[in-house]
């Protein structure tokens, strides 16, 4: 049975339900404020230094971190100099968090994993439109990675070796030590594709704990509240990948850690709790049948969700009760 990613289904429903290709001729300016604050802390630059050196007050800085206000470009440049960041490091803070790149990445992933003929046709068309980035400069690196993922998927569908496409993605993840949402989604999609097409395990599978920690950290963040359901989707997606990688214990631990975070934030929905409980049950019991009482109850509960859930998310949840979807050790 073909796999999908709940995080991508939810993201598509939130930002691009019509599956339109974004207009990427204009760069959307956004900055990863959480990462910049981590850089400041890591380099030990006190807040009072910001006020003394570039006239950025503590209250204004923290309002900016909480997305309650914006900063003019000259203050961003001032922060860059104080933190001794290179031009490329600053560029990465802009590039990897733009809405357009997230939208393009999610569109490519969603259409590549779809069972619908029109979606797959759309995927091929989008990949062709990305060709202009193949030999472009470093400023378009995020799009080059999306193209590499599209190439990987196309090679897998044609039962060909992934060639250099997979290596480009893996080399990228080996070169960074912080994951934006863009990175989390690209990592998940690549991992899911490798599993579905039985590609040989590499560092991506071995280093999945880094992805796990990044997802849990984002789940804990107060600055990503609007992404909460998508990040919950990432938790579910990664847990399913871990089971297919025969890491059942790690998958259950991931669900337990996510539950603790959501309970502390008081944002655990009844639906999320039910899904987490179901997955834990599936991961622990490897001799289930379609007549299992828990499976039967879940099927009845999920049936009610069809009245208000988007179709793609409903199909994903419904498939969780299909035992043959998983590979139990």
């Amino acid at each position: 049975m073909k796999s999908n990613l709940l995080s991508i289904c939810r993201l598509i429903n939130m930002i691009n339900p019509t599956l339109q290709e974004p207009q990427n001729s204009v760069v959307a300016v956004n900055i990863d404020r959480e990462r910049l604050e981590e850089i400041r802390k890591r380099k030990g630059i006190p807040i009072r230094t910001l006020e003394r050196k570039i006239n950025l007050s503590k209250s204004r800085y923290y309002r900016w971190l909480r997305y309650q206000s914006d900063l003019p470009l000259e203050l961003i440049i001032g922060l860059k100099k104080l933190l001794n960041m290179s031009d490329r490091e600053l560029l990465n803070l802009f590039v990897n968090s733009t809405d357009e790149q997230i939208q393009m990445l999610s569109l490519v992933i969603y259409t590549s994993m779809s069972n619908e003929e029109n979606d797959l046709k759309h995927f091929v068309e989008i990949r062709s439109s990305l060709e202009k980035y193949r030999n472009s400069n470093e400023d378009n690196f995020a799009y080059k990675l999306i193209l590499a993922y599209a190439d990987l998927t196309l090679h897998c569908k044609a039962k060909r070796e992934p060639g250099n496409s997979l290596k480009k993605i893996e080399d990228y993840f080996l070169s960074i030590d912080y994951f934006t949402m863009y990175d989390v989604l690209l990592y998940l999609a690549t991992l899911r594709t490798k599993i579905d097409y039985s590609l040989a395990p590499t560092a991506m599978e071995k280093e999945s704990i880094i992805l796990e920690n990044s997802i849990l950290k984002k789940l804990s963040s107060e600055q990503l509240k609007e992404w909460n359901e998508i990040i919950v989707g990432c938790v579910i997606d990664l847990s399913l990948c871990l089971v297919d990688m025969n890491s059942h214990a790690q998958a259950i631990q991931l669900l337990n850690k996510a539950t603790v975070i959501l309970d502390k934030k008081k944002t655990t929905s009844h639906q999320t709790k039910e899904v987490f409980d179901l997955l834990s049950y599936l991961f622990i019991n490897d001799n289930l049948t379609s007549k299992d009482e828990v499976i039967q109850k879940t099927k009845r509960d999920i049936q009610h969700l069809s009245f208000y859930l988007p179709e793609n998310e409903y199909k994903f949840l419904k498939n969780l009760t299909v035992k043959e979807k998983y590979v139990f050790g």
Side-chain angles (χ1 to χ4, degrees):
M1 181 175 293
K2 196 173 181 65
S3 298
N4 209 324
L5 296 174
L6 181 59
S7 54
I8 294 297
C9 290
R10 288 179 169 177
L11 185 55
I12 285 291
N13 294 333
M14 183 176 82
I15 67 173
N16 193 14
T18 58
L19 301 182
Q20 291 184 337
E21 188 173 341
Q23 299 298 313
N24 49 31
S25 58
V26 179
V27 177
V29 178
N30 191 11
I31 195 165
D32 193 327
R33 304 176 192 191
E34 182 185 28
R35 184 178 179 188
L36 190 140
E37 170 65 354
E38 285 194 353
I39 293 172
R40 181 192 70 80
K41 289 179 177 178
R42 189 172 70 244
K43 294 190 175 183
I45 308 296
I47 296 291
R48 62 179 179 273
T49 302
L50 307 184
E51 189 162 15
R52 189 175 71 249
K53 294 283 190 179
I54 60 174
N55 199 30
L56 176 57
S57 69
K58 178 179 179 179
S59 60
R60 188 179 186 186
Y61 178 68
Y62 280 114
R63 285 200 306 273
W64 178 72
L65 284 182
R66 292 192 293 266
Y67 292 82
Q68 294 173 351
S69 66
D70 289 318
L71 292 180
L73 181 60
E74 58 265 27
L75 284 181
I76 298 296
I77 299 301
L79 282 170
K80 168 188 176 291
K81 291 178 179 178
L82 275 179
L83 300 178
N84 195 27
M85 296 169 61
S86 67
D87 290 341
R88 179 58 190 271
E89 286 175 317
L90 180 63
L91 181 63
N92 283 341
L93 293 185
F94 283 90
V95 167
N96 285 341
S97 59
T98 61
D99 291 339
E100 287 177 3
Q101 290 160 352
I102 288 281
Q103 189 172 341
M104 178 63 83
L105 176 64
S106 61
L107 181 61
V108 169
I109 295 171
Y110 185 81
T111 53
S112 71
M113 291 184 172
S114 175
N115 286 313
E116 301 295 329
E117 185 177 344
N118 287 339
D119 288 343
L120 293 175
K121 182 180 178 182
H122 194 188
F123 162 68
V124 173
E125 292 170 350
I126 297 168
R127 178 185 171 277
S128 296
S129 74
L130 289 168
E131 279 292 339
K132 59 179 177 276
Y133 295 109
R134 191 175 295 280
N135 298 312
S136 63
N137 58 33
E138 287 297 304
D139 291 351
N140 294 312
F141 192 68
Y143 288 105
K144 294 164 81 79
L145 284 173
I146 298 173
L147 176 59
Y149 171 78
D151 287 345
L152 169 65
T153 306
L154 205 63
H155 288 149
C156 288
K157 289 179 183 295
K159 298 182 179 180
R160 298 197 301 265
E161 290 296 317
N164 199 39
S165 55
L166 179 58
K167 187 177 185 304
K168 284 181 181 178
I169 297 172
E170 292 180 332
D171 287 349
Y172 168 70
F173 284 114
L174 288 173
S175 71
I176 62 174
D177 56 7
Y178 175 89
F179 285 7
T180 64
M181 279 305 303
Y182 170 98
D183 300 322
V184 166
L185 295 171
L186 177 61
Y187 201 119
L188 271 174
T190 305
L191 198 58
R192 184 74 265 169
T193 299
K194 290 186 67 181
I195 292 169
D196 286 354
Y197 289 96
S198 303
L199 300 185
T202 58
M204 290 194 74
E205 287 81 2
K206 295 176 184 176
E207 301 296 331
S208 61
I209 188 65
I210 299 175
L211 175 61
E212 176 181 328
N213 290 336
S214 296
I215 292 172
L216 292 175
K217 187 169 185 179
K218 292 183 186 305
L219 193 63
S220 302
S221 173
E222 291 298 323
Q223 297 171 355
L224 295 170
K225 286 182 179 178
E226 70 275 16
W227 287 78
N228 194 73
E229 289 304 309
I230 293 164
I231 300 172
V232 167
C234 291
V235 171
I236 292 170
D237 293 331
L238 179 55
S239 73
L240 295 173
C241 287
L242 290 171
V243 165
D244 287 340
M245 290 156 51
N246 292 319
S247 298
H248 295 63
Q250 188 181 346
I252 295 170
Q253 285 181 343
L254 170 60
L255 296 175
N256 291 339
K257 290 176 183 177
T259 299
V260 170
I261 293 170
L262 292 171
D263 285 346
K264 186 179 295 185
K265 293 173 66 176
K266 298 181 180 178
T267 56
T268 310
S269 68
H270 179 67
Q271 179 186 326
T272 296
K273 187 177 185 307
E274 281 196 335
V275 173
F276 281 12
D277 288 345
L278 170 65
L279 289 176
S280 295
Y281 184 76
L282 288 172
F283 298 165
I284 292 171
N285 297 280
D286 59 357
N287 293 310
L288 300 176
T289 69
S290 59
K291 295 181 180 180
D292 183 272
E293 290 184 7
V294 173
I295 300 297
Q296 289 296 320
K297 179 182 182 301
T298 304
K299 284 184 176 180
R300 292 193 297 271
D301 292 343
I302 289 177
Q303 185 62 42
H304 295 301
L305 300 178
S306 63
F307 295 108
Y308 63 89
L309 277 184
E311 183 180 3
N312 56 7
E313 186 172 339
Y314 168 68
K315 285 182 177 178
F316 180 93
L317 295 176
K318 186 178 179 181
N319 284 340
L320 293 181
T321 61
V322 181
K323 172 67 169 64
E324 289 76 14
K325 186 178 175 65
Y326 307 104
V327 182
F328 289 103

